[in-house]
Amino acid sequence: MNKERAKLHGRVHVFGDDINTDYIIAGKYKFKTNDMRELARHAFEDIDPEFIARVQPGDIVVAGNNFGCGSSREQAPLVLLHAGISAVVATSFARIFFRNAINTGLPVLQCPVEGLQNGDQLSVDLATGEIMAGDGRKWQANPLPPVMLQILQNGGLVPHIKKHGGFGFEGGAAD
Amino acid sequence: MGRTIAEKILANHSGQPARAGDIVLADLDFIMGQDGTSPLAIDVFRQMGGVKVAEPSKAALVIDHNAPSPSEGVSALHDMMRGFSREMGVQIYDVGEGVCHQLVPEQGYVVPGDLVIGADSHTCTYGALNAFATGVGSTDLAAALYSGKMWFRVPPTMRVLCHGALAKGVTAKDLVLFLVGQIGADGATYMALEFAGEAISQLSVDARLTIANMAVEMGAKAGLMEADEKTLAWVAGRSARQPQPVQADADAEYEKVLEFDVSDLPPYVAVPHRVDTVVPVSAVEGKRIQQAVIGTCTNGRLEDLQQAARILAGKRIAEGVRLIVAPASRQILLDAIADGTIGQLVAAGAALVTPGCGPCVGTHNGIPADGETVISTANRNFKGRMGNNKAKIYLGSAATVAASALSGMITDPRRVADE
């Protein structure tokens, strides 16, 4: 992955375990429109009503186990992107959310990052998996498999498919 | 080393060894989208440069989550799906046909050995028919319509063996709630589940669909069962395609094997706001409810409606309780009309709504008020799930929901069944 593009830095928003897609964007909103900017105004509304006033472009979501569990709604990673979130670091992810994040170009890293509070600074290197807090504490995540990095590097599955005219590994396993 | 059901199905569809952890590009047998996910997928399909669906006969769109439309915004999205269906020659199931996860198996789109994706998390339901079926988002749906393929990371498998036989008055829903409680909401994340054992074999195919439906509530990618005579007979009545049943090898490599004797299980409920906080119904008996819901992709099938009708026939639900019934498909509604089930439920006070997802997803058809308590046959009780984050949702079987509607409080159905 492009080295500069792989490095992210932002303030964190900390969430706990089992943050489901209804909490990220409630079902009652997601069915109403395809306009993600409108939907993004309701991100985390039921569990953190202040989030949308607090969030700044480039911020990073840090969470516990099973982030994004629940429905398959792709609006979940999309509203995070439209709210300005640059990456999600969680102890673990629900698998559909994880796929959807990669497919929509939202970087996700699996790593237990604990002891942070809202507003703390965090740096993330997607290519190496290195994560560092503003106070110097470090964590090491497993880097993403090559196929996922490629899709992320291309900005999501749409630009990836347009670039390759397909998945880009039709002939066999990715890398 | 032998292979799991998931490894075999993904190998058969990718031409690669497909061992757990491998990433494969695989050919899909069927692709499904619903009205919460398809509109975004249609946008994405166009952005990809899509002008035709790779194999229109292997795809269907279903309008079930908001059916009939409750707003102009939703109507516009439905209209977009109808236009795409006409343009691409993809079958659409419009308002009133039913819930996608009932329609896809019922209409014969899935046979044993298939590889299926659906842009809905409960696509894992078809695992009960020995198909590797998994939920995806809108971009994966768009790419699948565009190419007929999808990439998969081959999941490791957790085998769940259920020995014994369920006691009288205890249902498949109680069994799967017990399993969700044991395994946890993220206990099988990234994994395929294989459900096996005599307690599973004894269940009807409809009841097995209830169990596979909730695999995703344990974080699983798929909830697989082997095909037996019941499966093959069920499928033969619906599909002309040749099943390719896939069995796990005796020496398959599992991430984990869990064994339970389920003979003594009582009816269970999941209590607010987590699907894996599961207790025997007896532990919360007496809790007042204001709304009861029977339906959804988990428990909206004929035998669920019949279970409820056996409890409610000739009686009247408690004052102050609303009972909402949403059959999972038009066919189920017709069958339940024909055998008198619907008449019994409506006479007992049920409000019948359109076959579809109904109130489960919180957009219409029964949004609870602040502070209300709901008991539902659905698969999720997240805060806000039914459209109000100040309501509480309990999950149980159709029998438990019916018994609770009858008394106005959460009730063990064995108290009122077969009196």
Side-chain angles (χ1 to χ4, degrees):
Chain A
M1 188 166 193
N2 179 296
K3 279 185 182 161
E4 287 318 304
R5 197 165 171 181
K7 288 183 181 167
L8 304 166
H9 181 88
R11 300 177 320 150
V12 304
H13 301 266
V14 180
F15 293 92
D17 292 337
D18 300 305
I19 301 300
N20 62 62
T21 53
D22 279 271
Y23 292 173
I24 299 170
I25 179 67
K28 64 182 173 183
Y29 296 120
K30 75 126 178 177
F31 295 106
K32 286 186 176 164
T33 176
N34 263 3
D35 181 348
M36 293 306 143
R37 278 168 304 184
E38 166 62 23
L39 287 181
R41 292 172 45 222
H42 302 287
F44 292 119
E45 188 174 88
D46 282 347
I47 56 163
D48 185 0
E50 313 300 318
F51 171 81
I52 206 66
R54 212 169 62 225
V55 67
Q56 306 266 337
D59 284 0
I60 294 169
V61 165
V62 171
N65 279 306
N66 204 23
F67 186 83
C69 60
S71 92
S72 66
R73 70 193 62 161
E74 199 158 295
Q75 289 87 346
L78 286 171
V79 300
L80 296 183
L81 280 167
H82 282 80
I85 294 299
S86 66
V88 182
V89 179
T91 309
S92 69
F93 289 90
R95 55 157 291 275
I96 303 179
F97 179 90
F98 191 85
R99 280 190 84 92
N100 287 344
I102 302 285
N103 283 341
T104 54
L106 174 67
V108 277
L109 269 187
Q110 190 173 336
C111 187
V113 170
E114 288 166 352
L116 294 182
Q117 296 187 330
N118 284 345
D120 287 352
Q121 300 287 326
L122 197 70
S123 301
V124 172
D125 189 324
L126 299 172
T128 63
E130 284 171 29
I131 299 170
M132 190 164 79
D135 61 10
R137 278 179 297 160
K138 287 183 179 176
W139 296 267
Q140 180 64 48
N142 286 330
L144 292 166
V147 60
M148 297 183 198
L149 270 174
Q150 283 169 19
I151 293 170
L152 268 184
Q153 183 170 29
N154 287 326
L157 192 62
V158 171
H160 179 86
I161 283 185
K162 283 176 85 168
K163 182 173 166 184
H164 295 283
F167 287 91
F169 57 105
E170 273 75 1
D175 290 19
Chain B
M1 187 54 90
R3 297 182 298 159
T4 63
I5 298 175
E7 288 172 326
K8 287 187 180 182
I9 294 179
L10 287 167
N12 291 346
H13 288 78
S14 67
Q16 292 170 42
R19 303 308 301 237
D22 291 353
I23 289 178
V24 299
L25 189 66
D27 294 323
L28 301 170
D29 293 305
F30 197 70
I31 300 162
M32 186 279 298
Q34 39 89 337
D35 53 328
T37 52
S38 299
L40 186 55
I42 293 168
D43 278 350
V44 172
F45 178 86
R46 310 258 192 227
Q47 287 163 24
M48 280 172 181
V51 290
K52 67 179 184 68
V53 169
E55 293 180 88
S57 64
K58 293 186 177 178
L61 303 179
V62 183
I63 294 178
D64 59 358
H65 277 56
N66 288 278
S69 167
S71 71
E72 289 169 73
V74 170
S75 300
L77 298 175
H78 287 174
D79 193 49
M80 177 184 181
M81 288 173 68
R82 295 182 189 111
F84 185 82
S85 158
R86 280 193 298 272
E87 183 186 343
M88 300 294 163
V90 169
Q91 177 72 45
I92 193 166
Y93 291 92
D94 214 314
V95 173
E97 293 298 337
V99 184
C100 56
H101 301 311
Q102 177 60 25
L103 289 170
V104 169
E106 182 185 284
Q107 299 290 318
Y109 289 116
V110 181
V111 300
D114 275 357
L115 179 61
V116 179
I117 62 136
D120 187 280
S121 59
H122 293 107
T123 302
C124 53
T125 307
Y126 327 142
L129 301 180
N130 189 234
F132 187 99
T134 194
V136 300
S138 298
T139 298
D140 275 324
L141 169 60
L145 291 169
Y146 177 86
S147 68
K149 299 171 194 292
M150 198 177 93
W151 65 267
F152 293 84
R153 180 151 67 174
V154 182
T157 295
M158 181 192 291
R159 189 164 167 88
V160 180
L161 285 164
C162 299
H163 300 299
L166 292 176
K168 189 170 158 50
V170 180
T171 69
K173 181 61 167 291
D174 301 303
L175 170 55
V176 73
L177 286 173
F178 165 77
L179 293 175
V180 173
Q182 292 291 314
I183 292 171
D186 63 350
T189 297
Y190 305 123
M191 293 182 218
L193 288 165
E194 272 181 20
F195 300 104
E198 61 272 20
I200 302 292
S201 307
Q202 286 157 9
L203 295 172
S204 68
V205 171
D206 281 359
R208 295 177 195 176
L209 290 164
T210 298
I211 291 179
N213 175 267
M214 291 192 71
V216 68
E217 308 312 329
M218 296 168 255
K221 186 167 190 164
L224 297 155
M225 297 178 190
E226 289 187 350
D228 61 9
E229 285 172 14
K230 286 183 200 170
T231 323
L232 296 174
W234 197 94
V235 168
R238 292 167 172 83
S239 176
R241 289 174 52 224
Q242 185 60 37
Q244 308 284 339
V246 171
Q247 289 187 314
D249 292 327
D251 59 346
E253 194 172 351
Y254 292 105
E255 179 85 8
K256 204 170 184 181
V257 177
L258 299 178
E259 293 197 50
F260 301 101
D261 185 329
V262 302
S263 306
D264 296 327
L265 297 187
Y268 282 99
V269 287
V271 305
H273 298 282
R274 291 182 60 102
V275 67
D276 59 356
T277 311
V278 174
V279 300
V281 175
S282 58
V284 289
E285 267 195 313
K287 172 81 191 161
R288 287 264 161 214
I289 59 158
Q290 287 74 44
Q291 182 165 305
V293 177
I294 297 171
T296 79
C297 56
T298 321
N299 284 115
R301 285 174 277 275
L302 184 62
E303 63 182 41
D304 300 308
L305 303 181
Q306 290 169 336
Q307 261 175 36
R310 278 198 293 276
I311 287 168
L312 292 169
K315 299 177 184 160
R316 181 81 196 173
I317 61 170
E319 203 162 319
V321 173
R322 310 175 297 270
L323 171 61
I324 295 165
V325 174
S329 73
R330 184 191 301 281
Q331 188 58 53
I332 290 167
L333 173 57
L334 286 168
D335 292 346
I337 289 170
D339 76 0
T341 297
I342 290 294
Q344 290 172 334
L345 292 174
V346 172
L352 184 68
V353 300
T354 309
C357 303
C360 175
V361 284
T363 50
H364 68 151
N365 268 341
I367 295 170
D370 289 4
E372 285 194 332
T373 298
V374 179
I375 187 162
S376 166
T377 62
N379 41 39
R380 293 204 172 120
N381 60 348
F382 304 150
K383 195 174 171 185
R385 172 74 181 179
M386 292 179 68
N388 186 335
N389 64 15
K390 296 179 196 71
K392 293 192 167 92
I393 308 166
Y394 289 75
L395 305 175
S397 71
T400 300
V401 172
S404 303
L406 188 61
S407 62
M409 55 189 91
I410 295 177
T411 301
D412 188 323
R414 295 174 299 183
R415 286 183 193 281
V416 287
D418 303 321
E419 274 174 5

